[in-house]
Amino acid sequence: MRDKPAVRTDLAAEARELWRERAAAADALEGVEVVETDEQGFAVTTLRVLDENGAKELCKPIGSYVTVSFDALLRREEDAFPRAAAVLAGHIREMLTLRRDERVLVAGLGNSGITPDAVGPAAVDSVLITRHLKKRMPREFSSFREVSAVCAGVLGTTGVESADLVAALVQKIRPDRVIAVDALAARSTKRLCRTIQLTDTGIIPGSGVGNSRSALNRETIGVPVLSVGVPTVVDAATLAAEYGADRRRAQDAAENMIVTPRDIDRSVNDMAKLIGYAINLALHEGLRVEDVDLFL
Amino acid sequence: MRDKPAVRTDLAAEARELWRERAAAADALEGVEVVETDEQGFAVTTLRVLDENGAKELCKPIGSYVTVSFDALLRREEDAFPRAAAVLAGHIREMLTLRRDERVLVAGLGNSGITPDAVGPAAVDSVLITRHLKKRMPREFSSFREVSAVCAGVLGTTGVESADLVAALVQKIRPDRVIAVDALAARSTKRLCRTIQLTDTGIIPGSGVGNSRSALNRETIGVPVLSVGVPTVVDAATLAAEYGADRRRAQDAAENMIVTPRDIDRSVNDMAKLIGYAINLALHEGLRVEDVDLFL
Amino acid sequence: MRDKPAVRTDLAAEARELWRERAAAADALEGVEVVETDEQGFAVTTLRVLDENGAKELCKPIGSYVTVSFDALLRREEDAFPRAAAVLAGHIREMLTLRRDERVLVAGLGNSGITPDAVGPAAVDSVLITRHLKKRMPREFSSFREVSAVCAGVLGTTGVESADLVAALVQKIRPDRVIAVDALAARSTKRLCRTIQLTDTGIIPGSGVGNSRSALNRETIGVPVLSVGVPTVVDAATLAAEYGADRRRAQDAAENMIVTPRDIDRSVNDMAKLIGYAINLALHEGLRVEDVDLFL
Amino acid sequence: MRDKPAVRTDLAAEARELWRERAAAADALEGVEVVETDEQGFAVTTLRVLDENGAKELCKPIGSYVTVSFDALLRREEDAFPRAAAVLAGHIREMLTLRRDERVLVAGLGNSGITPDAVGPAAVDSVLITRHLKKRMPREFSSFREVSAVCAGVLGTTGVESADLVAALVQKIRPDRVIAVDALAARSTKRLCRTIQLTDTGIIPGSGVGNSRSALNRETIGVPVLSVGVPTVVDAATLAAEYGADRRRAQDAAENMIVTPRDIDRSVNDMAKLIGYAINLALHEGLRVEDVDLFL
């Protein structure tokens, strides 16, 4: 906890914002590349941490970070949901670079009994699981990819690091990729339950809610890991720090306190469903957005 | 919303603290009487708003406010739970001033689908309901008071003010008292899920989470109302204001954002159970703390 | 309990089947009229109990009973859900015979904590509530009917008959119709969670799960009541009786035992959503099936 | 399904009853030893399948089966719960034969989303998890055994046999014993949620609800497995067969139908809590029944 910055975020896009606020006007953030686009009405930020300098400045590992903002979803525009699922699916597919027969394990991280931490397990509920079906009826399910899932629980209720459980399962069933879905902490309340970050750098389970665990990434698991993260909380300490509280006072207010949207139960469900659908679209080639419901 | 103070609290004890922080050292808060005691290890603050001046200064109606702090409960000291239930039950009994045969309706206010707002409905789950049993088996249940309950839902999901539903039911079944259990908003994160406020001034459902509804009190319902409130959230705007954010910036951050304990799901359950047990002990004379479980 | 028939059903269509099995081939069931049709792939049975003779023979009050079978829904055919909602909505509209400005109260009956009894409260979760919105923003919501809702709980957890609570609320807010959604008991496991019965004869809350309560109908409530019922359980005693167990042995097995589909949690949710959507389509003229999601 | 007997039970004690009903009066059941006792008011049946003949006759593997009946619990006698937990804990301790430092993994089997199948995951919620605490604070937790837990999910929602997941985790964290908690199918409705069977023969996940999976026992997992099973359902086909329905008719009624107690949600919670508490008492020597709550 010693060196923990008063303002904390799991979003690379926010880390860059923070850097800019601190930097002098003339400074350039070397080792970081950013592209911002609009896709079907959703703002997409693609940030690449290219080298050790960029990693150090942003406190984020070298790799790619794609952030999609879903404000349109919140405004409940017609067909916003299928459009959002399609955009997200496109980026998941691109980052996974899967061959036709490669297999995927989806890991839902976080505590299903704590609402803002439940987005991982809830997303798994919407994922189309095919591993057992393909084994029994290979022909009928030949057009589907082999997908399995696990909800790893949390250290406090299992006594086992979720990275360890996922690693054990990977050794047993040998998927080619792991998709890890988890709740994140953001700096800004504006992003809560409205943004999804994809990254190929893996995940540190629990980092989003204040307790870092052993990492879940290619090194620890043995296969590439795509992380899908949703900011659901702002640390109360972070909010306090943003508003000018000194470090000690902010820490004091923050102890075990989080800021969430008032309608967090519903927002978490919406985001989980969006992620589950997007994963289904990304993994199974023949699947159309409008059919995705049929299997759930 | 015009005149809404930036710092908002449903707790009379906090309203008094706020007054003191603003007042000059020499000022006395006239029309308000405060007594602080320790009961079985729990701090109890009894605050009486005596006249219009006190009501105006604290923005709280004339009446009694008893606040019990349950920090010992949080430390999980042995037998803290039965001690807490006994202390709370004593104050409930004192404020209800019931005769032997008088009947009670317990109203659980708030939205059971939103965790920090669910403490009312959850408390009702732990209340021993006897009205139907006394009707059918009057002799067997002669030593129990007649108790009924209602979960009134919230305006957004019923279209009916919960005060209207409770009033309609009171007209139909004619209880002598109403106990209304609801979630509150506090100013300080330290009090969240650790404090219970009892008041004979009734309740304004939803005021704890930012949307005032028509009041639930003796005037609107026709019988005396004892409110049992638990602070479960701090408005994000209140937190921001505490840390020096100006009004506009605080409002901005606050929109639909709340601060809660990280373990809100569990804390709400604990508080709800405590309130339910205390109500049972207060209403049924022969009941002992250790038997309270037998009926649930 | 004395005269309770060993085989028990809340479905008028099943009561008629039973009558036929007992009757001699030549018998005609006088006072009962039955029409069977197919609507968009769903089998619809419209049964009218015309007089006292029909009522006595079927043990069902005089009135109309429309039963829709949703087997196609179970087979997950494409667009089965919107088709089913449209068919159901048509019958609801027809039986309600509402004028343009008439108001509706939807009552979810049953115990939300007991899965097969939770279909009423769950359906209410999908109903579009407008009463408070029309009050605040009459112009914006002018094209919507005024709809409110209540979940009445069950006698065991409230001490109040749900019919009494609904009656009290009807007196207070004066709707023109009540739609009561409840779980039913069927005779045949084939119908569980696949059939919906609409009737204008009201409902006896709890009759579906073995404990009759005071009736909820035009006489007790003061306004016409449309009941929407879903069979979710078969009494174990009924199943035993069907298979030839004698009365005593069947009663013995049945005590507090029910037969449900293995996937009852999911089936109840599906049926609740279907009913909620159909009610929305029936009540709000401008609403299209494909928009129904936008408001929930 | 070919050879599946029409009457199905996971309880060895019921399998023996069935054998007796079929056997001629003079027959002796060789290879099976049964002792019946009363412990603190609870009936305990200890059945040992001694050889292949006994295994064949009862369709149960060689090993020990201890069945405890908790009717007194249902009558809500005072202190029935702690007595029941103590009796169950004694048998768990006896069958585990653990040395002081040996470690235990508790596996909750079954689907937490289907009430009668949720007893395994729900029991895990009441188990005191210490593995991570002992690692971080070995001295403070020196008097506790190392306990970890996993909820393995079900094949339909994970694509992975739960035995495979548990086996993978066992290889990773190397416990000395596995305790597997699961829902069972019984023959008699009288035993539902009133009986617990302990066996050292392992478990076939899902066998209780009609879909056998790969076994979870010493052979497949590599360490001794103690199974703790609670009958929560009777197959509708079994009930039908008991009442004399012929095989085909019974199968027909049974398809995906189960018989459960009406109050299954509550009963499953009660049984899960009992099992969790008993496991805690059995595993941690210093723990007293009255303290068990403090840690949960």
Side-chain angles (χ1 to χ4, degrees):
Chain A
M1 288 280 186
R2 259 173 323 133
D3 277 349
K4 192 179 161 189
V7 171
R8 162 148 170 278
T9 177
D10 294 323
L11 294 173
E14 285 192 340
R16 180 174 159 255
E17 274 176 19
L18 271 171
W19 188 90
R20 277 172 143 184
E21 290 170 18
R22 289 177 192 142
D27 288 1
L29 176 45
E30 286 181 27
V32 176
E33 196 182 275
V34 182
V35 181
E36 294 181 341
T37 55
D38 175 286
E39 297 183 25
Q40 299 197 42
F42 302 104
V44 178
T45 304
T46 304
L47 186 152
R48 281 195 186 81
V49 175
L50 302 168
D51 57 27
E52 286 304 331
N53 183 63
K56 203 185 109 218
E57 291 296 327
L58 297 192
C59 300
K60 301 285 164 210
I62 293 173
S64 296
Y65 302 83
V66 174
T67 312
V68 190
S69 292
F70 294 103
D71 289 346
L73 202 64
L74 274 287
R75 291 190 303 271
R76 306 228 149 220
E77 288 175 10
E78 206 177 343
D79 85 345
F81 187 84
R83 268 191 297 129
V87 167
L88 193 58
H91 286 285
I92 291 173
R93 203 182 296 121
E94 198 180 307
M95 294 183 77
L96 283 176
T97 61
L98 281 165
R99 282 200 309 269
R100 198 183 150 75
D101 284 333
E102 288 183 317
R103 295 159 305 167
V104 174
L105 169 66
V106 182
L109 305 179
N111 189 339
S112 58
I114 295 182
T115 311
D117 201 26
V119 73
V124 163
D125 283 346
S126 292
V127 170
L128 176 55
I129 305 301
T130 56
R131 184 172 177 264
H132 58 308
L133 300 171
K134 281 181 79 78
K135 275 180 194 287
R136 287 193 210 155
M137 297 172 279
R139 231 180 19 210
E140 288 84 342
F141 284 84
S142 63
S143 66
F144 291 89
R145 186 180 297 282
E146 185 184 307
V147 178
S148 55
V150 65
C151 287
V154 293
L155 189 60
T157 60
T158 65
V160 180
E161 300 285 359
S162 48
D164 286 346
L165 179 64
V166 175
L169 187 58
V170 165
Q171 279 197 300
K172 186 93 183 174
I173 68 171
R174 303 277 172 198
D176 299 288
R177 298 286 188 288
V178 167
I179 300 178
V181 186
D182 201 4
L184 304 177
R187 168 201 184 187
S188 160
T189 56
K190 301 282 183 210
R191 285 200 179 80
L192 295 185
C193 299
R194 301 192 177 199
T195 288
I196 291 175
Q197 172 177 277
L198 307 176
T199 173
D200 55 10
T201 61
I203 214 159
I204 304 180
S207 72
V209 284
N211 10 272
S212 317
R213 307 276 178 256
S214 65
L216 189 88
N217 55 35
R218 186 171 201 154
E219 284 68 47
T220 58
I221 300 289
V223 299
V225 176
L226 174 67
S227 303
V228 181
V230 186
T232 59
V233 298
V234 171
D235 262 11
T238 293
L239 191 76
E242 291 273 352
Y243 286 112
D246 62 59
R247 198 197 198 83
R248 202 179 47 78
R249 230 181 127 204
Q251 291 288 12
D252 192 45
E255 216 194 328
N256 293 318
M257 291 292 150
I258 52 174
V259 185
T260 73
R262 210 177 281 287
D263 66 347
I264 180 73
D265 302 69
R266 175 181 177 163
S267 297
V268 161
N269 276 340
D270 285 353
M271 283 290 119
K273 202 173 156 188
L274 176 61
I275 291 171
Y277 280 36
I279 290 175
N280 292 339
L281 288 171
L283 298 185
H284 305 293
E285 284 196 11
L287 213 58
R288 295 172 307 162
V289 174
E290 56 270 35
D291 292 342
V292 115
D293 248 347
L294 289 176
F295 300 92
L296 296 173
Chain B
M1 287 282 185
R2 262 173 321 134
D3 277 349
K4 194 180 158 189
V7 171
R8 165 151 168 276
T9 177
D10 294 324
L11 295 173
E14 286 191 341
R16 180 172 159 255
E17 274 176 18
L18 272 170
W19 187 89
R20 277 174 144 182
E21 290 170 19
R22 287 174 194 145
D27 286 2
L29 176 45
E30 285 180 30
V32 176
E33 197 183 276
V34 181
V35 181
E36 294 182 340
T37 55
D38 174 287
E39 296 183 24
Q40 299 198 41
F42 302 105
V44 178
T45 303
T46 305
L47 186 151
R48 282 197 184 81
V49 176
L50 302 168
D51 57 25
E52 286 305 331
N53 182 65
K56 204 185 108 217
E57 292 296 327
L58 298 193
C59 299
K60 300 285 163 210
I62 293 173
S64 296
Y65 301 84
V66 174
T67 313
V68 189
S69 291
F70 294 103
D71 291 347
L73 202 64
L74 274 288
R75 291 192 302 270
R76 306 232 149 219
E77 288 175 9
E78 205 177 343
D79 85 346
F81 187 84
R83 268 191 298 131
V87 167
L88 193 59
H91 286 284
I92 292 174
R93 204 181 297 123
E94 198 179 308
M95 295 182 77
L96 283 176
T97 60
L98 280 166
R99 281 200 310 269
R100 195 181 152 77
D101 283 333
E102 288 183 316
R103 295 159 304 167
V104 174
L105 169 65
V106 182
L109 305 180
N111 189 338
S112 59
I114 294 183
T115 311
D117 202 26
V119 74
V124 163
D125 283 344
S126 292
V127 171
L128 176 56
I129 305 302
T130 57
R131 184 172 176 264
H132 58 308
L133 300 171
K134 281 181 81 77
K135 275 179 195 288
R136 287 194 208 153
M137 298 171 279
R139 230 181 19 211
E140 288 84 342
F141 284 86
S142 62
S143 66
F144 290 88
R145 186 180 298 282
E146 185 184 308
V147 178
S148 55
V150 66
C151 287
V154 292
L155 189 61
T157 59
T158 65
V160 180
E161 300 285 359
S162 46
D164 285 346
L165 179 64
V166 175
L169 187 58
V170 165
Q171 280 197 298
K172 185 93 183 174
I173 67 171
R174 302 280 174 194
D176 299 289
R177 299 285 188 290
V178 167
I179 299 178
V181 187
D182 201 4
L184 304 177
R187 167 202 185 187
S188 160
T189 56
K190 300 285 183 206
R191 286 201 179 78
L192 294 184
C193 299
R194 302 193 176 196
T195 289
I196 292 175
Q197 172 177 278
L198 307 176
T199 172
D200 54 11
T201 61
I203 215 160
I204 303 180
S207 72
V209 285
N211 9 269
S212 318
R213 305 277 178 253
S214 65
L216 189 87
N217 56 33
R218 186 171 200 155
E219 284 68 48
T220 58
I221 300 289
V223 299
V225 176
L226 174 67
S227 304
V228 182
V230 186
T232 59
V233 298
V234 171
D235 262 12
T238 293
L239 192 76
E242 289 273 351
Y243 287 112
D246 62 60
R247 198 195 197 85
R248 205 181 44 78
R249 230 180 127 204
Q251 292 287 12
D252 192 46
E255 216 194 330
N256 293 319
M257 292 291 152
I258 52 173
V259 185
T260 72
R262 209 177 282 286
D263 64 346
I264 180 73
D265 302 69
R266 174 182 178 162
S267 296
V268 160
N269 276 339
D270 285 353
M271 283 291 117
K273 202 173 157 189
L274 177 60
I275 292 170
Y277 280 35
I279 289 175
N280 293 339
L281 288 171
L283 298 185
H284 306 293
E285 283 197 9
L287 214 59
R288 295 172 306 162
V289 173
E290 56 272 33
D291 292 343
V292 114
D293 249 347
L294 289 176
F295 301 90
L296 298 172
Chain C
M1 287 283 186
R2 263 173 318 135
D3 276 349
K4 193 181 161 188
V7 171
R8 165 153 168 276
T9 178
D10 294 324
L11 296 173
E14 285 191 341
R16 182 175 157 252
E17 273 176 18
L18 272 171
W19 187 89
R20 280 173 141 181
E21 290 170 19
R22 288 175 193 146
D27 288 3
L29 177 45
E30 286 180 30
V32 175
E33 194 182 278
V34 181
V35 181
E36 295 184 338
T37 55
D38 175 287
E39 297 183 25
Q40 300 197 41
F42 303 104
V44 178
T45 303
T46 304
L47 185 151
R48 281 196 185 83
V49 176
L50 303 167
D51 57 26
E52 286 304 330
N53 182 65
K56 206 186 105 216
E57 292 295 327
L58 298 192
C59 299
K60 301 284 163 208
I62 292 172
S64 296
Y65 302 83
V66 174
T67 313
V68 189
S69 292
F70 294 104
D71 290 346
L73 202 64
L74 275 286
R75 291 192 302 271
R76 307 227 151 224
E77 288 174 10
E78 206 175 343
D79 85 346
F81 187 84
R83 269 192 296 128
V87 167
L88 194 58
H91 286 283
I92 291 173
R93 204 181 296 120
E94 199 181 306
M95 295 182 76
L96 283 176
T97 60
L98 281 165
R99 282 200 309 271
R100 196 182 152 77
D101 283 334
E102 289 184 317
R103 295 158 305 167
V104 174
L105 168 65
V106 181
L109 305 180
N111 189 339
S112 60
I114 294 183
T115 311
D117 202 27
V119 73
V124 163
D125 283 345
S126 292
V127 170
L128 177 55
I129 305 301
T130 57
R131 184 171 178 264
H132 58 306
L133 301 171
K134 281 181 80 77
K135 276 180 193 287
R136 286 193 209 153
M137 296 172 281
R139 233 184 13 216
E140 288 83 343
F141 284 85
S142 63
S143 66
F144 290 89
R145 186 181 298 281
E146 185 184 309
V147 178
S148 54
V150 65
C151 287
V154 292
L155 189 61
T157 60
T158 66
V160 180
E161 301 284 357
S162 46
D164 285 346
L165 179 63
V166 175
L169 188 58
V170 165
Q171 280 198 299
K172 186 91 182 177
I173 68 171
R174 302 278 173 198
D176 299 288
R177 299 285 188 288
V178 168
I179 299 178
V181 187
D182 201 4
L184 305 177
R187 167 201 184 187
S188 159
T189 55
K190 301 285 182 207
R191 285 200 181 79
L192 296 184
C193 299
R194 301 191 176 199
T195 289
I196 292 176
Q197 173 178 274
L198 307 176
T199 172
D200 55 11
T201 61
I203 214 160
I204 304 181
S207 71
V209 285
N211 11 267
S212 319
R213 307 277 177 255
S214 65
L216 190 88
N217 55 34
R218 187 171 199 154
E219 283 69 47
T220 58
I221 300 290
V223 299
V225 176
L226 174 67
S227 304
V228 182
V230 186
T232 59
V233 298
V234 171
D235 262 11
T238 294
L239 192 75
E242 290 273 353
Y243 287 113
D246 61 61
R247 199 197 197 83
R248 204 181 46 79
R249 229 179 127 204
Q251 292 286 14
D252 192 46
E255 217 196 327
N256 293 317
M257 292 291 151
I258 52 174
V259 185
T260 73
R262 210 177 280 288
D263 65 346
I264 181 72
D265 301 71
R266 175 183 179 161
S267 297
V268 160
N269 275 339
D270 285 353
M271 284 290 118
K273 203 173 157 189
L274 175 61
I275 292 170
Y277 280 35
I279 289 175
N280 293 339
L281 288 171
L283 298 185
H284 305 293
E285 283 195 9
L287 213 59
R288 296 171 305 162
V289 174
E290 57 271 33
D291 292 343
V292 114
D293 248 346
L294 289 176
F295 300 91
L296 297 173
Chain D
M1 288 280 186
R2 263 172 320 133
D3 277 350
K4 193 180 160 188
V7 172
R8 165 152 168 274
T9 178
D10 294 326
L11 295 173
E14 285 191 341
R16 180 173 158 254
E17 274 176 17
L18 272 171
W19 187 90
R20 278 175 142 183
E21 289 170 20
R22 288 175 193 144
D27 287 3
L29 177 44
E30 285 180 30
V32 176
E33 194 180 278
V34 181
V35 180
E36 295 183 340
T37 55
D38 176 285
E39 297 183 24
Q40 299 198 41
F42 302 105
V44 178
T45 303
T46 305
L47 185 153
R48 282 196 185 82
V49 175
L50 302 169
D51 58 26
E52 287 304 332
N53 182 65
K56 205 185 109 220
E57 292 296 326
L58 298 192
C59 299
K60 300 286 163 208
I62 293 173
S64 296
Y65 302 83
V66 174
T67 314
V68 190
S69 292
F70 293 105
D71 290 346
L73 202 64
L74 275 284
R75 291 191 303 270
R76 305 230 151 222
E77 289 175 7
E78 205 177 344
D79 86 344
F81 187 84
R83 269 191 296 130
V87 167
L88 194 58
H91 285 284
I92 292 173
R93 203 181 297 121
E94 198 181 307
M95 294 183 76
L96 282 176
T97 61
L98 280 166
R99 282 201 308 270
R100 196 182 153 77
D101 283 335
E102 288 184 317
R103 295 158 307 167
V104 174
L105 169 65
V106 182
L109 306 180
N111 189 338
S112 59
I114 295 182
T115 311
D117 202 26
V119 73
V124 163
D125 283 345
S126 292
V127 171
L128 176 55
I129 304 301
T130 58
R131 183 172 177 265
H132 59 307
L133 301 171
K134 282 182 80 79
K135 274 178 195 289
R136 286 194 210 153
M137 297 172 279
R139 231 181 17 211
E140 288 83 343
F141 285 85
S142 62
S143 66
F144 290 88
R145 187 180 297 282
E146 186 184 308
V147 178
S148 54
V150 66
C151 287
V154 292
L155 189 60
T157 59
T158 65
V160 180
E161 300 284 359
S162 48
D164 284 347
L165 178 64
V166 176
L169 187 58
V170 165
Q171 279 197 300
K172 186 91 181 178
I173 68 171
R174 302 279 173 195
D176 300 287
R177 299 285 188 290
V178 168
I179 299 178
V181 187
D182 200 4
L184 304 178
R187 167 201 185 189
S188 160
T189 56
K190 300 284 181 206
R191 286 201 179 80
L192 294 184
C193 299
R194 300 193 177 197
T195 288
I196 292 175
Q197 172 177 276
L198 308 176
T199 172
D200 55 11
T201 60
I203 214 159
I204 304 180
S207 70
V209 285
N211 11 267
S212 319
R213 306 275 177 258
S214 65
L216 190 88
N217 55 34
R218 185 170 199 156
E219 284 67 47
T220 58
I221 300 290
V223 299
V225 175
L226 175 67
S227 304
V228 182
V230 186
T232 58
V233 298
V234 171
D235 262 10
T238 293
L239 192 75
E242 290 273 352
Y243 287 112
D246 62 60
R247 199 196 197 85
R248 204 180 46 79
R249 230 179 128 206
Q251 292 286 12
D252 193 45
E255 217 195 328
N256 293 318
M257 292 291 152
I258 52 174
V259 184
T260 73
R262 210 177 281 287
D263 65 345
I264 181 72
D265 301 71
R266 175 184 178 161
S267 296
V268 160
N269 275 340
D270 285 353
M271 284 289 118
K273 203 173 156 189
L274 176 62
I275 292 170
Y277 279 37
I279 289 175
N280 293 339
L281 288 171
L283 297 186
H284 305 294
E285 283 195 10
L287 213 59
R288 294 171 307 163
V289 174
E290 55 271 35
D291 292 344
V292 116
D293 248 347
L294 290 175
F295 301 92
L296 298 172

